[in-house]
């Protein structure tokens, strides 16, 4: 059964990669694969659960004594339907709601002319200069925001600057690389670094100085190589295209547009602060930001006596969100969660530990596979395999030097944060940022594979080499 699930996942992956020649929407493929895998997993639950989720299953039965008279197969099916499916859907819903909130915030800023204050100050038309500027902004913004939100913001910006979609594909691809690299060195820049930070595997004071230079190198090298192939000026958007929001933008005062930009960016920046203060999940913070921004725009409308037909209420802005991107995201996460619950990813982690052993090699392989399988379950599997070591565990270990790699801020955890975050850039579906940019800009999987994947691999290995040199040679 597990073999069948893996084969179906790989076939679905191939169909997504060949979306354009086959003319089959990747969202439909992802949803089909995700639901088939969960069906197979539920059917084969009695085989999977005793090995993959024995402790969880035991606790589930303890909390549901009414199932004591049921057969083992019925107990397993109840466990999958009433526990695992709901848990997975809950986690996926958190991600999707956050994504919707971030998209709504960016769209509200955009339709009210907020981004004009940024695009009007970017005067360069040369492709090389603009690419370097976009990559730099993305890299550092991703460390403060998460790479997902940053990618959405930057795609909206380049749409205002670049008219040719092929040129936007190049810039969008660099945004993916810069966003993933920028998120790797900050505890709040990526979902995986947040996981490691919250669980105490890494700390802010040690992570930033150790991972900053490798992350810069992993982004800078692809940017410099891409710049060499770019010549001339960008193709600006068609100036003769009519914008249905023009009349509204003429009515709004300059300070009102600026205030919407500042408030919108502040709402995005407030999300990690909100999480730290309240301990509520990030999607609650982003929804609060949407509510604040929506409320503020309504006040502006009333103050300007804007005609009802011109009011860009949230219900209209919602229609600008790409629903197929959200469904694609849902399908991919469902498929990966089915593999995770079946124990396939945990088995892979155990195989790495037994057959590879070296912490640098293990993390490099995990990073490579994070371009194929979502990095979140891979990191979760690694965290489950290796406990955070303490001084007593290190002293008692047969190999104290090896065990020392697993203490807080040890080599394994820091390098895992780098590899899992940056490695996803090698394929466009390997990271949340890549999936969103792929959906928003309709970037072809094969095109990305041909033109960008090798650059991302070179940057990934170069940054990894810098980290290893820091640790092994300079003992930093």
């Amino acid at each position: 059964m597990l073999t069948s699930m893996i084969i179906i996942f790989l076939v679905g992956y191939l169909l997504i990669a060949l979306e354009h020649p086959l003319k089959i929407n990747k969202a439909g493929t992802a949803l089909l694969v995700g639901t088939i895998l969960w069906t197979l997993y539920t059917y084969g639950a009695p085989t999977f659960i005793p090995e993959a989720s024995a402790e969880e299953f035991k606790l589930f039965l303890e909390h549901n004594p009414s199932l004591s008279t049921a057969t083992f197969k019925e107990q397993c099916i109840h466990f999958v339907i009433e526990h695992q499916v709901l848990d997975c859907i809950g986690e996926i819903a958190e991600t999707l709601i956050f994504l919707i909130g971030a998209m709504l915030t960016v769209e509200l800023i955009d339709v009210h002319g907020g981004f004009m204050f940024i695009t009007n100050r970017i005067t360069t038309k040369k492709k090389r200069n603009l690419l370097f500027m976009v990559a730099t902004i993305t890299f550092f913004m991703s460390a403060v925001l998460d790479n997902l939100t940053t990618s959405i913001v930057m795609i909206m910006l380049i749409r205002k600057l670049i008219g040719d979609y092929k040129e936007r594909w190049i810039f969008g691809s660099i945004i993916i690389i810069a966003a993933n690299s920028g998120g790797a060195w900050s505890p709040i820049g990526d979902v995986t670094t947040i996981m490691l930070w919250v669980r105490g595997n890494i700390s802010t004071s040690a992570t930033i100085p150790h991972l900053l230079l490798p992350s810069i190198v992993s982004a800078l090298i692809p940017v410099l190589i891409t710049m060499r192939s770019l010549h001339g000026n960008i193709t600006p958007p068609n100036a003769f295209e009519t914008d249905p929001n023009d009349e509204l933008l003429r009515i709004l005062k300059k300070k009102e547009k600026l205030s919407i930009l500042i408030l919108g960016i502040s709402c995005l920046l407030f999300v990690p602060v909100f999480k730290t203060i309240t301990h509520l999940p990030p999607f609650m913070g982003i929804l609060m930001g949407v509510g604040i921004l929506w409320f503020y725009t309504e006040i502006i409308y009333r103050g300007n006596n804007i005609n009802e037909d011109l009011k860009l209420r949230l219900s209209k802005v919602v229609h600008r969100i790409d629903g197929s991107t959200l469904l694609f995201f849902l399908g991919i996460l469902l498929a990966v969660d089915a593999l995770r619950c079946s124990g396939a990813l945990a088995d892979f982690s155990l195989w790495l530990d037994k057959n590879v052993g070296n912490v640098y090699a293990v993390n490099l392989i995990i990073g490579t596979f994070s371009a194929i399988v979502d990095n979140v379950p891979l990191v979760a599997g690694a965290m489950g395999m290796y406990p955070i070591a303490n001084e007593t565990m290190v002293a008692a270990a047969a190999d104290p030097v090896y065990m020392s790699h697993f203490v807080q801020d040890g080599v394994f955890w820091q390098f895992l944060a780098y590899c899992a975050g940056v490695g996803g850039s090698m394929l466009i579906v390997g990271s949340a940022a890549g999936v969103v940019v792929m959906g928003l800009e309709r970037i072809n999987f094969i095109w990305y594979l041909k033109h960008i994947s090798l650059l991302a691999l070179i940057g990934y290995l170069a940054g990894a080499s810098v980290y290893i040199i820091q640790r092994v040679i300079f003992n930093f």
Side-chain angles (χ1 to χ4, degrees):
M1 187 67 72
L2 183 59
T3 304
S4 300
M5 290 178 66
I6 294 173
I7 291 172
I8 290 171
F9 178 80
L10 293 176
V11 170
Y13 205 89
L14 182 63
L15 291 175
I16 290 170
L18 299 174
E19 175 194 20
H20 285 269
L22 294 177
K23 292 181 171 53
I24 300 174
N25 191 290
K26 61 183 179 294
T29 302
L31 289 171
L32 184 61
V33 171
T35 50
I36 289 175
L37 290 183
W38 270 104
T39 302
L40 291 176
Y41 173 67
T42 304
Y43 181 77
T47 305
F48 294 121
I49 289 172
E51 293 183 10
S53 308
E55 288 299 321
E56 275 187 87
F57 183 55
K58 183 180 177 181
L59 288 172
F60 174 77
L61 292 180
E62 288 177 1
H63 288 89
N64 294 272
S66 60
L67 294 174
S68 58
T69 57
T71 64
F72 179 67
K73 183 176 182 179
E74 290 172 340
Q75 290 175 340
C76 290
I77 292 174
H78 277 282
F79 174 68
V80 172
I81 296 172
E82 297 172 18
H83 177 69
Q84 289 187 312
V85 170
L86 293 180
D87 272 4
C88 292
I89 288 295
E91 292 175 5
I92 293 171
E94 286 188 20
T95 304
L96 292 180
I97 293 171
F98 181 88
L99 179 59
I100 292 170
M103 285 182 167
L104 285 174
T105 302
V106 173
E107 289 288 356
L108 281 168
I109 297 171
D110 183 38
V111 297
H112 291 95
F115 288 129
M116 292 170 58
F117 288 92
I118 299 176
T119 55
N120 290 343
R121 282 163 176 73
I122 300 177
T123 56
T124 181
K125 299 298 181 184
K126 293 184 177 179
K127 294 179 183 178
R128 292 181 176 181
N129 295 347
L130 183 61
L131 184 72
F132 188 82
M133 188 181 301
V134 166
T136 303
I137 294 171
T138 303
F139 181 85
F140 288 103
M141 186 185 292
S142 181
V144 181
L145 298 175
D146 63 284
N147 52 6
L148 182 66
T149 309
T150 300
S151 300
I152 297 170
V153 172
M154 295 308 297
I155 288 296
M156 291 300 179
L157 281 178
I158 64 170
R159 282 181 177 178
K160 299 292 182 184
L161 299 168
I162 305 171
D164 183 76
Y165 78 95
K166 283 286 187 181
E167 292 177 0
R168 283 206 308 273
W169 280 11
I170 296 173
F171 279 75
S173 300
I174 293 300
I175 285 172
I176 293 170
I177 293 174
N180 288 333
S181 296
W185 62 274
S186 167
I188 60 172
D190 184 81
V191 177
T192 52
T193 55
I194 290 173
M195 288 167 57
L196 292 166
W197 176 51
V198 170
R199 289 281 295 273
N201 300 73
I202 60 175
S203 65
T204 304
S205 59
T207 301
I208 293 176
H210 282 97
L211 294 186
L212 178 58
L213 183 58
S215 298
I216 289 174
V217 170
S218 69
L220 183 61
I221 288 180
V223 170
L224 293 178
I225 295 174
T226 304
M227 286 173 63
R228 293 190 58 174
S229 64
L230 294 179
H231 304 282
N233 297 331
I234 59 171
T235 305
N238 189 349
F240 299 100
E241 289 180 356
T242 58
D243 188 343
N245 303 324
D246 275 351
E247 189 175 345
L248 175 66
L249 297 180
R250 283 195 295 270
I251 295 173
L252 292 177
K253 301 178 182 67
K254 185 177 180 180
K255 64 179 182 180
E256 290 171 337
K257 298 175 187 176
L258 180 59
S259 66
I260 290 174
L261 172 65
I262 294 172
L263 182 61
I265 297 297
S266 299
C267 288
L268 295 173
L269 294 173
F270 175 68
V271 174
V273 179
F274 176 87
K275 182 184 182 301
T276 303
I277 294 173
T278 65
H279 303 291
L280 289 169
F283 77 88
M284 297 291 283
I286 202 74
L287 290 180
M288 177 180 282
V290 172
I292 292 170
L293 197 58
W294 187 4
F295 187 82
Y296 181 69
T297 55
E298 292 288 339
I299 292 174
I300 289 178
Y301 293 158
R302 288 183 61 185
N304 287 281
N305 293 320
I306 294 176
N307 187 287
E308 195 69 29
D309 294 334
L310 289 179
K311 287 185 177 181
L312 287 168
R313 295 181 182 276
L314 194 64
S315 57
K316 295 182 180 179
V317 176
V318 167
H319 293 295
R320 293 167 61 104
I321 294 177
D322 187 358
S324 64
T325 298
L326 297 173
L327 292 174
F328 173 56
F329 213 91
L330 172 61
I332 284 290
L333 293 180
L334 279 173
V336 172
D337 276 344
L339 291 179
R340 177 178 61 82
C341 290
S342 70
L345 298 183
D347 289 344
F348 174 66
S349 298
L350 288 171
W351 182 87
L352 286 177
D353 190 42
K354 290 179 180 178
N355 295 278
V356 180
N358 183 279
V359 291
Y360 296 108
V362 167
N363 278 324
L364 284 170
I365 294 171
I366 289 175
T368 302
F369 271 87
S370 74
I372 302 171
V373 182
D374 184 60
N375 57 6
V376 173
L378 285 177
V379 172
M383 291 169 68
M385 269 181 54
Y386 304 102
I388 304 174
N390 52 41
E391 293 181 3
T392 304
M393 294 171 65
V394 172
D399 187 350
V401 175
Y402 180 75
M403 183 58 69
S404 67
H405 293 150
F406 299 94
V407 299
Q408 184 184 40
D409 294 319
V411 169
F412 182 82
W413 303 120
Q414 286 186 353
F415 201 40
L416 178 64
Y418 169 84
C419 291
V422 178
S425 301
M426 287 186 280
L427 291 177
I428 196 167
V429 295
S431 64
V435 171
V436 169
V437 173
M438 182 185 189
L440 293 175
E441 283 298 319
R442 301 289 191 274
I443 297 179
N444 189 325
F445 181 98
I446 300 298
W447 180 91
Y448 189 95
L449 185 66
K450 287 181 178 178
H451 296 88
I452 306 297
S453 291
L454 180 60
L455 298 180
L457 173 62
I458 293 171
Y460 170 65
L461 294 177
S465 301
V466 170
Y467 180 82
I468 294 172
I469 290 171
Q470 284 181 170
R471 281 292 192 174
V472 176
I473 298 179
F474 296 102
N475 196 27
F476 171 70

